[in-house]
Amino acid sequence: MAELQIPHDIELEQYLVGAMLYDPACIGEIADIIKPRFFYNRQYRALCQATLQLWSEDEQKVSLVELIPTLEKEGISPSHVTDLISSVASTGPIRYSTERLKYLAALRAAIREAQDFIQTANGLKAAEDIRLKLNNTATKLATISEATVETETMRSAKEFALQFDNQLEENRAEGKKPGIATGFPDLDKLITSGLEPGTFNVLAGRPSMGKTAFALQLALNISIKQGLPSLFFSLEMPGESLIARMIANFGRIDLQVLKNADFTDDAIFERYTHAIGRVAVDHFVIDDQSGMTLAEMKAKARRMKREQGLSCIFIDYLGLIEGEGKSEYDIVTKNSRGIKNMAKELGVPIICLAQLSRAVEQRQDKRPMMSDLRESGHVEQDADIIAMLYRDEYYNANSEDKGIAEVILAKQRNGPTGSVKLGFNKEHGNFYSLTRREGA
């Protein structure tokens, strides 16, 4: 019989120890799940335990110098730890890596229990002894499995009711909705509770329909006008281009004029200086790294929430999020579910842009439907709100709705569906309420 291989991953353990020392702030992202006993290697187990102890006392104490006593006791070379730290390229995957470490530890525990069962079961003859052994083993295996499941989310209905009542009273006293207002009065009437914490909201449309422009308008309304911290993951467009669009939008400046720095008109330059002064804020954060995974996004969002607060996340767009799967369908399905879980875990609304399929172009009525979402099955199921953009003038040169964009609310889990018409200035990338003057 081949020798049984004990499941473990030394490179994973090296990464986690190195990551905790490379950036002690990331420990806050895994402190709820990581345990020294998860480590197979004795030295890395000791390093994890000492690092967590330092972190619990003071994050600033986590350093190689403070670990010297542990290194000497365990016979670990300081240069080896330095190598572990220098090998860390990013702490983005740290949550995922810790989860994997936990499951490997559980697998080892299950194997140990199975080995004990094999060694003792052969000697059993009495039916009662066999039954007891089976029951005891099953109980121990169930306990091991349960140890991998988070239970801190289990609360009584009384706790949830008290929390709901407190939040309701707070909202009544302050005269506000539980969610974030979009900044468009007619749309806010339709989305009765606003963009609620923990929700997955999809903004879909065909290419060139204005999805990114609308997302940036929402970001302006939320971050600049309401002063709420938000994070914009731009997987397609460089951050500099997003900022140019926001300045053009806020300053009501033709984007081409802005890009060419054509400030021959003093009024335009004055609007530019005012706009860049308003847009240049610390609490609106753009991350334009391409090829990001959802795990990396979650880690970055956790850090922002911890360091400066976080009210809202934008992702542009769903189809560009990296992932594992045999097909685009598999990847989109996993990422769709992941975004829903990420919104709940972080307690903020996520607005994720999505492409519509070419099926729209083949119909006489080009208004989009939920079934037009690419790989739509799980997106339709997971999303709390699905909004779709439609501009009739894009398809019809003689349209009576020139300069008009329709926001079609195809799904709202806790409210009605419907549509709202907004004004759209293509040169500025500006959406505005038709019941108010542009820019009001």
Side-chain angles (χ1 to χ4, degrees):
M1 178 183 285
E3 183 179 349
L4 181 65
Q5 298 296 315
I6 304 299
H8 65 283
D9 188 335
I10 292 299
E11 289 185 358
L12 177 70
E13 297 187 11
Q14 291 173 337
Y15 165 75
L16 284 168
V17 170
M20 288 192 289
L21 296 174
Y22 172 79
D23 181 11
C26 75
I27 298 175
E29 299 170 17
I30 58 173
D32 59 329
I33 54 173
I34 196 165
K35 301 287 187 298
R37 59 183 170 80
F38 293 165
F39 287 78
Y40 177 77
N41 181 277
R42 177 183 57 80
Q43 292 182 329
Y44 299 142
R45 189 186 312 133
L47 280 174
C48 175
Q49 185 166 356
T51 301
L52 289 176
Q53 180 60 41
L54 291 171
W55 181 81
S56 66
E57 295 171 5
D58 183 354
E59 183 179 305
Q60 303 300 320
K61 291 180 68 175
V62 178
S63 68
L64 187 57
V65 173
E66 292 284 349
L67 286 173
I68 293 295
T70 301
L71 301 185
E72 292 176 346
K73 179 181 178 182
E74 300 295 331
I76 306 171
S77 166
S79 62
H80 177 58
V81 179
T82 302
D83 289 341
L84 294 181
I85 297 171
S86 62
S87 68
V88 176
S90 167
T91 60
I94 194 165
R95 182 86 182 181
Y96 168 81
S97 299
T98 306
E99 291 281 0
R100 184 163 179 268
L101 183 78
K102 176 177 68 174
Y103 280 101
L104 284 172
L107 195 56
R108 291 196 297 273
I111 289 173
R112 286 194 296 271
E113 185 57 39
Q115 287 176 323
D116 176 73
F117 180 82
I118 291 170
Q119 290 172 1
T120 58
N122 285 332
L124 299 176
K125 295 181 180 180
E128 181 63 17
D129 292 339
I130 294 173
R131 184 185 68 80
L132 286 173
K133 184 63 179 178
L134 288 171
N135 287 343
N136 288 339
T137 301
T139 299
K140 289 178 181 178
L141 288 173
T143 301
I144 292 169
S145 178
E146 289 166 6
T148 67
V149 179
E150 297 296 335
T151 58
E152 293 178 0
T153 55
M154 297 173 64
R155 291 183 287 159
S156 70
K158 180 179 180 180
E159 290 180 80
F160 279 111
L162 288 173
Q163 180 181 330
F164 178 82
D165 185 56
N166 290 336
Q167 187 63 60
L168 188 68
E169 286 301 319
E170 182 180 324
N171 291 339
R172 285 183 60 192
E174 298 178 9
K176 67 178 185 179
K177 294 182 178 182
I180 299 172
T182 67
F184 300 109
D186 294 337
L187 186 57
D188 286 331
K189 288 179 183 178
L190 192 57
I191 304 177
T192 52
S193 298
L195 300 172
E196 293 193 68
T199 56
F200 173 25
N201 308 277
V202 173
L203 174 62
R206 288 292 293 152
S208 301
M209 200 57 61
K211 297 186 299 298
T212 299
F214 189 72
L216 286 173
Q217 184 71 65
L218 288 176
L220 274 171
N221 293 348
I222 292 170
S223 288
I224 310 304
K225 296 181 180 179
Q226 297 182 53
L228 300 175
S230 60
L231 174 57
F232 198 112
F233 289 111
S234 180
L235 305 180
E236 184 175 38
M237 190 178 297
E240 293 81 359
S241 297
L242 291 183
I243 285 296
R245 285 185 172 213
M246 293 183 78
I247 293 170
N249 182 328
F250 201 92
R252 307 297 183 261
I253 304 169
D254 187 300
L255 185 58
Q256 295 307 313
V257 170
L258 179 63
K259 286 183 175 180
N260 294 327
D262 185 8
F263 295 141
T264 51
D265 186 336
D266 290 342
I268 294 178
F269 185 71
E270 185 177 339
R271 292 204 301 275
Y272 164 73
T273 55
H274 174 68
I276 195 170
R278 289 296 306 277
V279 169
V281 294
D282 290 328
H283 60 265
F284 179 64
V285 177
I286 297 171
D287 191 321
D288 61 358
Q289 177 188 333
S290 58
M292 268 190 287
T293 64
L294 205 57
E296 290 175 314
M297 291 184 192
K298 186 187 294 187
K300 293 178 178 184
R302 279 176 172 273
R303 179 177 298 184
M304 179 172 170
K305 183 174 183 179
R306 182 177 66 249
E307 293 178 353
Q308 65 181 93
L310 182 62
S311 296
C312 189
I313 296 173
F314 296 86
I315 301 175
D316 186 8
Y317 65 93
L318 178 61
L320 292 179
I321 303 174
E322 291 292 322
E324 295 182 359
K326 296 179 180 178
S327 65
E328 181 182 354
Y329 178 85
D330 289 339
I331 296 171
V332 170
T333 294
K334 290 178 181 178
N335 285 334
S336 173
R337 289 173 176 170
I339 292 171
K340 176 66 176 177
N341 292 334
M342 177 177 165
K344 289 180 65 178
E345 186 177 323
L346 294 173
V348 300
I350 296 179
I351 296 95
C352 184
L353 279 58
Q355 295 276 26
L356 294 177
S357 71
R358 292 188 178 90
V360 174
E361 317 295 337
Q362 299 167 7
R363 296 196 301 264
Q364 186 172 356
D365 185 354
K366 309 297 184 185
R367 281 180 174 79
M369 302 181 292
M370 276 203 295
S371 58
D372 295 323
L373 278 164
R374 284 186 179 176
E375 312 297 354
S376 62
H378 285 281
V379 178
E380 288 182 36
Q381 176 181 312
D382 297 331
D384 296 283
I385 288 177
I386 296 179
M388 300 181 173
L389 278 180
Y390 174 74
R391 292 192 294 117
D392 191 63
E393 66 176 326
Y394 181 83
Y395 297 104
N396 182 7
N398 300 316
S399 173
E400 296 179 357
D401 283 338
K402 288 193 175 183
I404 302 295
E406 190 174 344
V407 182
I408 302 168
L409 206 60
K411 176 185 178 181
Q412 183 176 191
R413 195 180 299 278
N414 298 315
T417 57
S419 65
V420 170
K421 288 186 175 182
L422 301 172
F424 177 58
N425 186 310
K426 187 176 181 180
E427 288 71 26
H428 303 163
N430 170 241
F431 288 82
Y432 56 94
S433 172
L434 291 174
T435 58
R436 298 181 178 181
R437 63 179 179 83
E438 181 179 348

